[in-house]
Every structure is written in structure tokens, then in C-alpha cells.
């Protein structure tokens, strides 16, 4: 089992984090197939993304900080987000989640800490399901999501092309345990025989 460092802090992402967050994401854009973006971003281009994740509500951005590691300033080791699953109103109780760790911070429990904190915060929101898209192969991400109770619901074969090859994407789903959401009304058509 991965040991989560106790000195790490998790807090909402703020504009002062933007450069570090952009650097982390751009690593995955340039070096991996884990995101389907193919062109690196500037911090200014990522600002609307950051601002679309307020400190509270269902769409959040949390960052993991290792205090005092760079010139006695906190260093961003990774981030997790919950974002709208789809734009239509009936999808409002579902979110798409993701987690990205800085190079060198993977396998240290940073992603686990971020997701644990994110899902705890989301329990106070009117949410029902979380979805995650995982570009394959990515066994560490599959293990992380399964550890939180995500289950595979399907795989799109060769849905994208990056770095000269076609890629599959698996979709995972997890029920969210909301402390505030009303219970869904039963579907009357299901009880008819």
C-alpha cells in the first residue's frame, strides 16, 4: 500500500497556482497519451479553466502542496478536478473527475489524497454519479479509480489518435454518496409488469 505523506496539504486551487498547474498538465500533453490535448497551453489560456472551478459547489479544483520544498514556498504536487459531465441540465447531478500528479510525484499517494479530499467535499453537493475517462493503457489510473469504487462501464475502441497511434478510452462510473441530495423518485414504468 502506498504511504500518503502526512505533511501534504490539500486546498482549493487559486490563480497563484496557475503556472504550476499548467506545467503539470503540459507534461501530460507533450509526453503522454493520457490527455487527448496535443498542443501545450499557456497559463493565460488555462485561466478560464481554473476560474470554472470555484472554491465550493460541484465543480472544484483541489491542489496538493508539499510545503517549503522550493525556496521555502509550497510546491504543487498535483491536482484533482470535478467538472460538468455534459452541458445539458439533466446531467447536473453527474461530474467528470480527473487527477494529475507532477512528474516525480506519482506513486506516492498524492492522487489518493486528492481524490479522498475531493469526494469528501462533493458529499455536501447535490451529486449522484462521478465519471472518469482513462486513456489506455494506464494501469496506475485504473487501480486508483477501482480503489475508490469506480467500475468499468465501457471502452471506446481507437477513439483518439496521438503520438502516432490510435487509442482506446475506458469510462468508469462511481455512485457518489451525497449528504444533501434528495432521493430519486422511483420510475413508475419499472414497477409495471
Amino acid at each position: 500500500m502506498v504511504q500518503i505523506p502526512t505533511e501534504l496539504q490539500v486546498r482549493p486551487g487559486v490563480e497563484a497556482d496557475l503556472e504550476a498547474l499548467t506545467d503539470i498538465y503540459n507534461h501530460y500533453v507533450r509526453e503522454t497519451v493520457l490527455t487527448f490535448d496535443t498542443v501545450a497551453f499557456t497559463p493565460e489560456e488555462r485561466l478560464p479553466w481554473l476560474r470554472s472551478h470555484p472554491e465550493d459547489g460541484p465543480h472544484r479544483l483541489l491542489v496538493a502542496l508539499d510545503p517549503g520544498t522550493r525556496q521555502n514556498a509550497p510546491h504543487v504536487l498535483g491536482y484533482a478536478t470535478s467538472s460538468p459531465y455534459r452541458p445539458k441540465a439533466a446531467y447536473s447531478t453527474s461530474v467528470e473527475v480527473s487527477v494529475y500528479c507532477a512528474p516525480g510525484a506519482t506513486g506516492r499517494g498524492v492522487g489518493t489524497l486528492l481524490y479522498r479530499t475531493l469526494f469528501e467535499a462533493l458529499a455536501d453537493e447535490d451529486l449522484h454519479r462521478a465519471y472518469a475517462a482513462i486513456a489506455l493503457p494506464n494501469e496506475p489510473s485504473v487501480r486508483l479509480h477501482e480503489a475508490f469504487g469506480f467500475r468499468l462501464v465501457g471502452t471506446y475502441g481507437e477513439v483518439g489518435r496521438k503520438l502516432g497511434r490510435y487509442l482506446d478510452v475506458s469510462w468508469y462510473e462511481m455512485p457518489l454518496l451525497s449528504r444533501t441530495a434528495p432521493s430519486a423518485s422511483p420510475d413508475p414504468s419499472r414497477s409495471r409488469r
Side-chain angles (χ1 to χ4, degrees):
M1 177 175 220
V2 174
Q3 187 69 22
I4 298 172
T6 56
E7 69 276 5
L8 293 186
Q9 301 168 357
V10 176
R11 63 157 170 74
V14 296
E15 287 190 27
D17 301 322
L18 189 57
E19 187 172 339
L21 296 172
T22 303
D23 287 345
I24 291 170
Y25 190 70
N26 281 341
H27 163 75
Y28 291 93
V29 170
R30 286 189 300 265
E31 307 294 328
T32 78
V33 297
L34 303 184
T35 176
F36 280 18
D37 280 315
T38 59
V39 177
F41 290 86
T42 65
E44 294 76 23
E45 291 169 327
R46 291 286 281 176
L47 186 56
W49 164 83
L50 184 137
R51 289 180 175 164
S52 72
H53 295 89
E55 189 171 324
D56 57 5
H59 308 133
R60 298 191 187 208
L61 164 63
L62 298 178
V63 298
L65 300 172
D66 190 359
T69 57
R70 294 213 173 151
Q71 294 84 36
N72 295 319
H75 172 55
V76 176
L77 293 179
Y79 66 91
T81 60
S82 58
S83 302
Y85 174 67
R86 295 285 183 265
K88 295 182 180 176
Y91 289 116
S92 67
T93 60
S94 296
V95 290
E96 185 173 344
V97 297
S98 62
V99 63
Y100 289 91
C101 293
T106 59
R108 295 175 39 196
V110 175
T112 298
L113 177 63
L114 282 163
Y115 260 0
R116 183 182 303 140
T117 307
L118 178 65
F119 296 134
E120 177 61 27
L122 294 179
D124 291 327
E125 301 299 330
D126 180 15
L127 293 173
H128 188 61
R129 290 280 189 270
Y131 294 91
I134 301 174
L136 302 177
N138 189 346
E139 192 57 37
S141 186
V142 169
R143 281 195 312 271
L144 174 67
H145 286 87
E146 288 177 346
F148 277 93
F150 282 83
R151 68 175 183 83
L152 176 66
V153 292
T155 300
Y156 294 141
E158 297 185 351
V159 68
R161 185 174 65 195
K162 186 175 178 185
L163 299 179
R165 65 183 203 246
Y166 286 98
L167 302 159
D168 297 346
V169 173
S170 287
W171 279 91
Y172 284 77
E173 172 187 67
M174 179 182 76
L176 290 172
L177 302 174
S178 175
R179 294 185 282 255
T180 61
S183 297
S185 301
D187 182 351
S189 66
R190 290 188 178 192
S191 61
R192 293 184 198 143
R193 305 243 176 204

PDB file of all heavy atoms in Angstrom, residues 19-20 27 29 56 67 113-114 132 139 154 161 180:
ATOM      1  N   GLU A  19       0.488  28.762 -12.954  1.00  0.00           N
ATOM      2  CA  GLU A  19       1.685  28.372 -13.695  1.00  0.00           C
ATOM      3  C   GLU A  19       2.077  26.932 -13.389  1.00  0.00           C
ATOM      4  O   GLU A  19       2.359  26.139 -14.302  1.00  0.00           O
ATOM      5  CB  GLU A  19       2.846  29.319 -13.396  1.00  0.00           C
ATOM      6  CG  GLU A  19       4.047  29.041 -14.273  1.00  0.00           C
ATOM      7  CD  GLU A  19       5.140  30.084 -14.129  1.00  0.00           C
ATOM      8  OE1 GLU A  19       4.873  31.210 -13.688  1.00  0.00           O
ATOM      9  OE2 GLU A  19       6.283  29.745 -14.496  1.00  0.00           O
ATOM     10  N   ALA A  20       2.059  26.557 -12.120  1.00  0.00           N
ATOM     11  CA  ALA A  20       2.411  25.181 -11.739  1.00  0.00           C
ATOM     12  C   ALA A  20       1.399  24.180 -12.289  1.00  0.00           C
ATOM     13  O   ALA A  20       1.779  23.113 -12.787  1.00  0.00           O
ATOM     14  CB  ALA A  20       2.502  25.061 -10.222  1.00  0.00           C
ATOM     15  N   HIS A  27       2.964  18.704 -19.236  1.00  0.00           N
ATOM     16  CA  HIS A  27       3.787  17.484 -19.253  1.00  0.00           C
ATOM     17  C   HIS A  27       2.991  16.345 -19.886  1.00  0.00           C
ATOM     18  O   HIS A  27       3.500  15.616 -20.746  1.00  0.00           O
ATOM     19  CB  HIS A  27       4.224  17.105 -17.836  1.00  0.00           C
ATOM     20  CG  HIS A  27       4.695  15.692 -17.731  1.00  0.00           C
ATOM     21  ND1 HIS A  27       5.928  15.274 -18.202  1.00  0.00           N
ATOM     22  CD2 HIS A  27       4.078  14.583 -17.251  1.00  0.00           C
ATOM     23  CE1 HIS A  27       6.051  13.981 -17.999  1.00  0.00           C
ATOM     24  NE2 HIS A  27       4.944  13.527 -17.429  1.00  0.00           N
ATOM     25  N   VAL A  29       0.347  16.620 -21.814  1.00  0.00           N
ATOM     26  CA  VAL A  29       0.022  16.967 -23.206  1.00  0.00           C
ATOM     27  C   VAL A  29       1.193  16.583 -24.114  1.00  0.00           C
ATOM     28  O   VAL A  29       1.008  15.932 -25.148  1.00  0.00           O
ATOM     29  CB  VAL A  29      -0.294  18.473 -23.348  1.00  0.00           C
ATOM     30  CG1 VAL A  29      -0.392  18.880 -24.817  1.00  0.00           C
ATOM     31  CG2 VAL A  29      -1.575  18.831 -22.597  1.00  0.00           C
ATOM     32  N   ASP A  56     -16.178  26.339  -3.884  1.00  0.00           N
ATOM     33  CA  ASP A  56     -17.234  25.443  -3.421  1.00  0.00           C
ATOM     34  C   ASP A  56     -18.160  25.123  -4.579  1.00  0.00           C
ATOM     35  O   ASP A  56     -17.979  25.625  -5.684  1.00  0.00           O
ATOM     36  CB  ASP A  56     -18.008  26.054  -2.253  1.00  0.00           C
ATOM     37  CG  ASP A  56     -18.624  27.397  -2.597  1.00  0.00           C
ATOM     38  OD1 ASP A  56     -18.545  27.838  -3.756  1.00  0.00           O
ATOM     39  OD2 ASP A  56     -19.210  28.021  -1.694  1.00  0.00           O
ATOM     40  N   PRO A  67       4.736  21.584   1.416  1.00  0.00           N
ATOM     41  CA  PRO A  67       5.199  22.881   1.923  1.00  0.00           C
ATOM     42  C   PRO A  67       6.716  22.992   1.992  1.00  0.00           C
ATOM     43  O   PRO A  67       7.407  22.072   2.374  1.00  0.00           O
ATOM     44  CB  PRO A  67       4.579  22.962   3.316  1.00  0.00           C
ATOM     45  CG  PRO A  67       4.167  21.592   3.666  1.00  0.00           C
ATOM     46  CD  PRO A  67       4.045  20.796   2.402  1.00  0.00           C
ATOM     47  N   LEU A 113      -4.767  10.970  -1.999  1.00  0.00           N
ATOM     48  CA  LEU A 113      -5.133  12.046  -1.063  1.00  0.00           C
ATOM     49  C   LEU A 113      -6.038  13.071  -1.737  1.00  0.00           C
ATOM     50  O   LEU A 113      -7.036  13.518  -1.155  1.00  0.00           O
ATOM     51  CB  LEU A 113      -3.865  12.718  -0.529  1.00  0.00           C
ATOM     52  CG  LEU A 113      -4.081  13.915   0.404  1.00  0.00           C
ATOM     53  CD1 LEU A 113      -4.806  13.484   1.675  1.00  0.00           C
ATOM     54  CD2 LEU A 113      -2.739  14.556   0.745  1.00  0.00           C
ATOM     55  N   LEU A 114      -5.715  13.444  -2.958  1.00  0.00           N
ATOM     56  CA  LEU A 114      -6.539  14.420  -3.679  1.00  0.00           C
ATOM     57  C   LEU A 114      -7.952  13.890  -3.902  1.00  0.00           C
ATOM     58  O   LEU A 114      -8.929  14.589  -3.654  1.00  0.00           O
ATOM     59  CB  LEU A 114      -5.886  14.774  -5.014  1.00  0.00           C
ATOM     60  CG  LEU A 114      -4.725  15.750  -4.933  1.00  0.00           C
ATOM     61  CD1 LEU A 114      -3.893  15.713  -6.206  1.00  0.00           C
ATOM     62  CD2 LEU A 114      -5.239  17.160  -4.664  1.00  0.00           C
ATOM     63  N   ALA A 132     -15.117   8.915 -14.938  1.00  0.00           N
ATOM     64  CA  ALA A 132     -13.711   9.151 -15.263  1.00  0.00           C
ATOM     65  C   ALA A 132     -13.397   8.465 -16.580  1.00  0.00           C
ATOM     66  O   ALA A 132     -13.787   7.311 -16.792  1.00  0.00           O
ATOM     67  CB  ALA A 132     -12.808   8.607 -14.164  1.00  0.00           C
ATOM     68  N   GLU A 139      -2.548   1.478 -16.263  1.00  0.00           N
ATOM     69  CA  GLU A 139      -2.857   0.625 -15.113  1.00  0.00           C
ATOM     70  C   GLU A 139      -2.855   1.388 -13.784  1.00  0.00           C
ATOM     71  O   GLU A 139      -3.720   1.143 -12.945  1.00  0.00           O
ATOM     72  CB  GLU A 139      -1.883  -0.559 -15.056  1.00  0.00           C
ATOM     73  CG  GLU A 139      -2.317  -1.640 -14.083  1.00  0.00           C
ATOM     74  CD  GLU A 139      -3.712  -2.199 -14.357  1.00  0.00           C
ATOM     75  OE1 GLU A 139      -4.104  -2.350 -15.524  1.00  0.00           O
ATOM     76  OE2 GLU A 139      -4.428  -2.476 -13.367  1.00  0.00           O
ATOM     77  N   GLY A 154     -17.563   0.785 -19.900  1.00  0.00           N
ATOM     78  CA  GLY A 154     -17.387   0.565 -21.331  1.00  0.00           C
ATOM     79  C   GLY A 154     -16.100   1.162 -21.846  1.00  0.00           C
ATOM     80  O   GLY A 154     -15.491   2.008 -21.196  1.00  0.00           O
ATOM     81  N   ARG A 161      -6.378   9.624 -31.628  1.00  0.00           N
ATOM     82  CA  ARG A 161      -5.044   9.343 -32.168  1.00  0.00           C
ATOM     83  C   ARG A 161      -4.094  10.397 -31.648  1.00  0.00           C
ATOM     84  O   ARG A 161      -4.330  11.593 -31.782  1.00  0.00           O
ATOM     85  CB  ARG A 161      -5.059   9.345 -33.693  1.00  0.00           C
ATOM     86  CG  ARG A 161      -3.706   8.932 -34.283  1.00  0.00           C
ATOM     87  CD  ARG A 161      -3.744   8.799 -35.776  1.00  0.00           C
ATOM     88  NE  ARG A 161      -4.004  10.115 -36.381  1.00  0.00           N
ATOM     89  CZ  ARG A 161      -4.366  10.279 -37.642  1.00  0.00           C
ATOM     90  NH1 ARG A 161      -4.526   9.245 -38.435  1.00  0.00           N
ATOM     91  NH2 ARG A 161      -4.570  11.480 -38.112  1.00  0.00           N
ATOM     92  N   THR A 180     -26.658  15.569   0.955  1.00  0.00           N
ATOM     93  CA  THR A 180     -27.671  16.603   0.770  1.00  0.00           C
ATOM     94  C   THR A 180     -28.656  16.320  -0.352  1.00  0.00           C
ATOM     95  O   THR A 180     -29.696  16.960  -0.415  1.00  0.00           O
ATOM     96  CB  THR A 180     -27.003  17.957   0.465  1.00  0.00           C
ATOM     97  OG1 THR A 180     -26.255  17.842  -0.740  1.00  0.00           O
ATOM     98  CG2 THR A 180     -26.089  18.387   1.608  1.00  0.00           C
TER      99      THR A 180
END
